[in-house]
């Protein structure tokens, strides 16, 4: 028998939000901590831009594998344990990485760290969909996504700031200690699952249930949008430090790190988007977010630094609006194996991160900032157009 789900009026609702906020703060700070350090890695380890970018993309590949494995097992073993041990497992490599002088070893450890990171995103959305009242799921998801934005912002800023003042190794030690403290906090705060129903099916049937999501056209559209959104967003932010450290801007790493505060707009925008979706409809607000994202990216073509900053803020507002509502729609579209469905969405989402960080390197090398911006701004619009035309064609065929 299902227990009553938590609403915004319940204390446990806010304990869930606070716990997941702490968890995702660290996970996403951890994940993107190396992004502003890519020029540092190029100089210190004498590697190419493409090789340096692997410190992010290999972490994402490890995360993708972790999402598939841990998302599958979270449908059998519960959610809370995967969330808390993900924090512990992803904090430990931060103690080890500064001790190596081999960039290959750094990449291996970042890959392992990526796999460990996956426990939080693999289980968090499913945990919310099971424990939170349906009327408040979009809001709770938006709050969770806003903490993703805050974590990404703080991770990028702190590594840039600490590296400029001390060293990148010191920044990693700071992350390690913080991770252990947040692990203890989440163990204490996060309520146990009350509505989780462990799968009693065989592994073969569970895998079949996992893969059946790939036959759901509505979910496939959502997965595709996750890829596209992250290719554009990650591509812009990955190559921004290289663009701004060169003339005519010649900005320091510390100055560039301040630009990541634009993510604060996402922290505000995600919960507002959740509320707006309750009033105007999830699909309508999500579509508006995509258009805002593209508009913000186009604004970074300006030669004026202040306009680039405004464009980055607009980009973050559009991205976190569209991403939070896309993530919220997964739980609504999936009738079963919600952990697996959430993991598949996140797999697609992080495929976009890996592509945006490494696969766009040839584009950056060949056509520079202008070509990169045009590609990342137009790509989401083309995807929305293609989906719209497909739906119209499918609708006319159905009639």
């Amino acid at each position: 028998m299902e227990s009553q789900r938590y609403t915004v009026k319940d204390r446990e609702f806010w304990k869930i939000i606070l716990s997941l906020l702490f968890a995702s703060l660290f996970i996403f700070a951890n994940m993107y901590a190396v992004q502003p350090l890519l020029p540092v890695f190029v100089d210190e380890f004498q590697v190419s831009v493409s090789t340096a970018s692997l410190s992010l993309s290999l972490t994402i590949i490890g995360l993708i594998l972790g999402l598939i494995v841990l998302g599958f097992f979270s449908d059998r073993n519960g959610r809370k344990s995967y969330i808390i041990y993900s924090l512990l497992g992803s904090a430990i490599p931060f103690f080890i990485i500064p001790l190596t002088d081999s960039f290959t070893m750094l990449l291996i450890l970042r890959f392992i760290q990526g796999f460990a990171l996956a426990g939080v995103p693999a289980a968090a959305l499913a945990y919310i969909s099971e424990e939170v009242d349906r009327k408040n799921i979009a809001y709770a998801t938006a709050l969770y996504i806003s903490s993703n934005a805050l974590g990404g912002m703080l991770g990028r800023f702190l590594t840039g700031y600490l590296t400029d003042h001390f060293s990148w190794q010191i920044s990693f030690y700071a992350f390690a200690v913080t991770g252990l403290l947040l692990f203890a906090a989440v163990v204490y705060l996060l309520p146990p699952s009350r509505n989780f129903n462990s799968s009693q099916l065989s592994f073969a049937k569970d895998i079949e249930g996992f893969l059946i999501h790939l036959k759901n056209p509505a979910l496939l559209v959502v997965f595709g949008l996750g890829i596209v959104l992250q290719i554009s967003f990650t591509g812009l932010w990955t190559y921004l430090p290289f663009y701004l450290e060169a003339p005519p801007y010649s900005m320091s790493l510390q100055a560039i790190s301040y630009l990541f505060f634009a993510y604060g707009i996402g922290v505000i925008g995600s919960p507002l988007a959740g509320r707006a979706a309750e009033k105007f409809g999830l699909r309508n607000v999500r579509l508006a977010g995509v258009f805002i994202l593209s508009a913000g990216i186009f604004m970074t073509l300006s030669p004026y630094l202040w306009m680039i900053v405004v464009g980055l803020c607009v980009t973050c507002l559009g991205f976190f609006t569209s991403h939070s509502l896309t993530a919220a729609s997964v739980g609504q579209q999936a009738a079963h194996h919600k952990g697996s469905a959430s993991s598949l969405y996140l797999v697609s989402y992080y495929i976009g991160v890996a592509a945006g960080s490494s696969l766009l390197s040839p584009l950056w090398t060949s056509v520079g900032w202008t070509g990169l911006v045009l590609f990342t701004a137009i790509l989401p619009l083309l995807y929305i157009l293609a989906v719209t035309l497909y739906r119209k064609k499918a609708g006319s065929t159905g009639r």
Side-chain angles (χ1 to χ4, degrees):
M1 181 176 175
E2 184 177 282
S3 299
Q4 185 175 356
R5 295 167 180 252
Y6 300 120
T7 70
V8 292
K9 298 179 181 180
D10 297 317
R11 182 182 179 186
E12 286 77 7
F13 175 91
W14 295 105
K15 288 177 69 175
I16 290 171
I17 295 302
L18 186 60
S19 299
L20 295 182
L21 184 149
F22 284 156
S24 64
L25 268 178
F26 181 71
I27 292 303
F28 286 89
N30 181 328
M31 188 185 312
Y32 293 110
V34 298
Q35 198 168 48
L37 302 181
L38 300 186
V40 176
F41 290 158
V42 168
D43 292 336
E44 183 164 331
F45 291 97
Q46 296 297 301
V47 295
S48 67
V49 172
S50 296
T51 302
S53 70
L54 291 175
S55 61
L56 175 58
S57 56
L58 280 180
T59 307
I60 301 304
I61 292 172
L63 176 71
I64 289 170
L65 293 176
L67 285 169
I68 295 172
V69 174
L70 301 181
F72 175 79
F73 282 104
S74 77
D75 279 332
R76 303 182 69 88
N77 304 322
R79 316 297 182 192
K80 182 174 178 177
S81 60
Y82 287 92
I83 293 172
I84 60 176
Y85 289 116
S86 176
L87 289 171
L88 181 63
S90 58
I92 292 173
F94 274 129
F95 286 109
I96 304 172
I97 291 174
L99 301 177
T100 181
D101 57 2
S102 166
F103 196 69
T104 300
M105 182 57 65
L106 184 151
L107 294 179
I108 292 172
L109 289 169
R110 284 290 290 173
F111 174 81
I112 294 171
Q113 196 170 39
F115 187 91
L117 287 171
V120 171
L125 291 175
Y127 180 95
I128 289 172
S129 70
E130 291 165 351
E131 306 302 324
V132 173
D133 186 84
R134 295 185 186 279
K135 293 181 180 179
N136 299 126
I137 285 177
Y139 183 50
T141 302
L143 288 172
Y144 166 70
I145 296 297
S146 71
S147 64
N148 297 173
L150 185 60
M153 176 186 75
L154 290 176
R156 292 167 167 100
F157 169 73
L158 289 174
T159 50
Y161 184 87
L162 291 174
T163 299
D164 214 38
H165 284 270
F166 303 101
S167 67
W168 67 266
Q169 291 91 341
I170 292 295
S171 71
F172 276 28
Y173 287 132
F175 271 86
V177 174
T178 302
L180 295 182
L181 293 175
L182 292 178
F183 162 75
V186 174
V187 169
Y188 175 74
L189 286 172
L190 186 64
S193 297
R194 301 195 307 175
N195 296 308
F196 170 73
N197 293 311
S198 177
S199 174
Q200 300 301 316
L201 300 174
S202 66
F203 275 100
K205 287 293 184 181
D206 258 348
I207 293 173
E208 183 180 338
F210 182 88
L211 296 177
I212 201 170
H213 296 308
L214 298 177
K215 299 179 182 179
N216 183 334
L219 279 176
L220 289 177
V221 168
V222 172
F223 299 157
L225 183 57
I227 294 175
V228 167
L229 290 174
Q230 270 292 13
I231 288 176
S232 294
F233 190 70
T234 303
L236 184 78
W237 282 102
T238 296
Y239 297 96
L240 181 73
F242 293 102
Y243 177 59
L244 293 181
E245 73 169 2
Y249 305 103
S250 301
M251 294 175 64
S252 67
L253 185 60
Q254 178 181 339
I256 293 171
S257 71
Y258 285 120
L259 298 181
F260 291 105
F261 280 115
Y263 272 59
I265 304 297
V267 176
I268 299 169
S270 291
L272 291 179
R275 285 300 192 188
E278 294 175 357
K279 184 175 182 180
F280 301 108
L282 187 149
R283 182 176 292 180
N284 292 331
V285 180
R286 183 176 64 191
L287 182 62
V290 173
F291 283 109
I292 293 170
L293 166 67
S294 291
I297 295 175
F298 275 122
M299 291 172 68
T300 64
L301 285 173
S302 172
Y304 302 106
L305 184 60
W306 69 267
M307 182 61 75
I308 294 175
V309 173
V310 172
L312 293 173
C313 292
V314 173
T315 298
C316 287
L317 175 62
F319 172 76
F320 285 105
T321 294
S322 52
H323 165 46
S324 64
L325 297 181
T326 304
S329 68
V330 174
Q332 298 177 10
Q333 298 288 348
H336 56 83
H337 289 79
K338 291 180 182 291
S340 299
S342 296
S343 292
L344 282 172
Y345 167 69
L346 291 172
V347 165
S348 62
Y349 178 82
Y350 290 116
I351 287 173
V353 176
S357 60
S358 288
L359 296 186
L360 292 189
S361 178
L363 186 66
W364 160 256
T365 303
S366 59
V367 295
W369 184 252
T370 300
L372 183 78
V373 167
L374 290 176
F375 177 83
T376 55
I378 293 173
L379 182 62
L381 301 179
L382 289 178
Y383 184 81
I384 293 298
L385 177 62
V387 169
T388 301
L389 293 176
Y390 172 79
R391 282 175 172 162
K392 286 184 177 180
K393 182 178 179 180
S396 63
T397 302
R399 289 194 297 269

